[in-house]
């Protein structure tokens, strides 16, 4: 049975997760030029990796980064390629390896998603004192470590 803190924390985590997801869905729906799902926009984000340059990611690297099985990533990449958001290129050194690159349209969609997150974080930050920001970051870092550690344990990593 959960104590009062655990109950409240569970409620907050669930609501925050769902709220961010709903806000992302609204952002995608309001953008008339983007015919993407949330999962697809997150895959574009993983392809770019915050680099904003002309380097690609292999299908297996995307699978690892996103925690999604190879066949699912391959299917998603093929769908994004058909929509014009990514292009696939075989590695010159090993033709079995496929790299995924954002197209101009893919970079535009990724930048729109990053802008959404920047605005969201700026709005949250503006309402906090320096002390609250520090406490929030410390708590979020511990929360992130908790999830990372538990996911690694479930995957069989020490």
């Amino acid at each position: 049975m959960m104590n009062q803190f655990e109950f409240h924390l569970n409620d907050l985590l669930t609501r925050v997760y769902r709220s961010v997801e709903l806000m992302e869905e609204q952002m995608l729906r309001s953008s008339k030029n983007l015919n993407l799902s949330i999962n697809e926009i997150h895959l574009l984000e993983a392809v770019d990796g915050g680099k904003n340059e002309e380097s690609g990611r292999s299908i297996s690297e995307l699978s690892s980064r996103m925690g999604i099985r190879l066949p699912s990533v391959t299917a998603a990449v093929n769908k994004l390629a058909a929509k014009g958001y990514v292009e696939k290129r075989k590695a010159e050194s090993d033709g079995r390896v496929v790299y995924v690159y954002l197209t101009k349209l893919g970079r535009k969609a990724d930048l729109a998603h990053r802008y959404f997150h920047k605005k969201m974080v700026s709005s949250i930050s503006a309402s906090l004192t320096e002390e609250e920001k520090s406490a929030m970051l410390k708590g979020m870092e511990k929360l992130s470590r908790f999830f990372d550690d538990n996911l690694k344990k479930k995957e069989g990593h020490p």
Side-chain angles (χ1 to χ4, degrees):
M1 183 167 196
M2 287 193 262
N3 65 33
Q4 186 72 21
F5 171 80
E6 291 167 341
F7 180 81
H8 191 67
L9 178 61
N10 182 64
D11 182 57
L12 285 172
L13 286 172
T14 304
R15 288 188 316 170
V16 167
Y17 176 80
R18 185 66 186 137
S19 293
V20 171
E21 194 174 58
L22 287 170
M23 288 175 70
E24 284 184 319
E25 286 173 2
Q26 288 173 352
M27 182 269 301
L28 288 172
R29 276 196 305 270
S30 70
S31 179
K32 294 162 185 58
N33 301 331
L34 299 177
N35 59 334
L36 296 166
S37 69
I38 290 174
N39 290 336
E40 289 172 327
I41 198 86
H42 288 154
L43 183 55
L44 294 180
E45 183 179 40
V47 170
D48 180 65
K51 300 177 299 195
N52 291 319
E53 59 186 46
E54 286 289 323
S55 60
R57 303 250 184 228
S58 71
I59 298 282
S60 43
E61 186 179 356
L62 291 171
S63 173
S64 175
R65 287 178 71 104
M66 297 190 72
I68 301 171
R69 294 179 350 172
L70 276 170
S72 298
V73 172
T74 300
V77 165
N78 288 340
K79 192 173 177 183
L80 285 171
K83 290 181 177 185
Y85 289 97
V86 299
E87 68 175 275
K88 302 182 307 182
R89 298 182 209 152
K90 290 188 183 231
E92 291 177 18
S93 60
D94 183 349
R96 297 170 297 176
V97 178
V98 175
Y99 285 94
V100 181
Y101 297 83
L102 294 182
T103 62
K104 185 176 181 181
L105 183 62
R107 282 191 298 281
K108 183 178 173 185
D110 185 50
L111 284 173
H113 182 240
R114 289 180 191 284
Y115 179 74
F116 160 78
H117 277 277
K118 182 183 184 314
K119 294 285 286 181
M120 179 180 64
V121 169
S122 293
S123 294
I124 293 167
S125 178
S127 70
L128 301 173
T129 66
E130 289 305 314
E131 187 177 312
E132 289 169 329
K133 289 176 189 176
S134 178
M136 179 180 264
L137 285 178
K138 186 175 179 179
M140 294 298 287
E141 285 169 356
K142 285 184 176 184
L143 185 63
S144 180
R145 254 190 320 276
F146 168 81
F147 286 120
D148 289 345
D149 291 346
N150 277 278
L151 286 170
K152 286 177 187 168
K153 285 178 191 170
K154 296 213 183 322
E155 293 171 355
H157 299 289

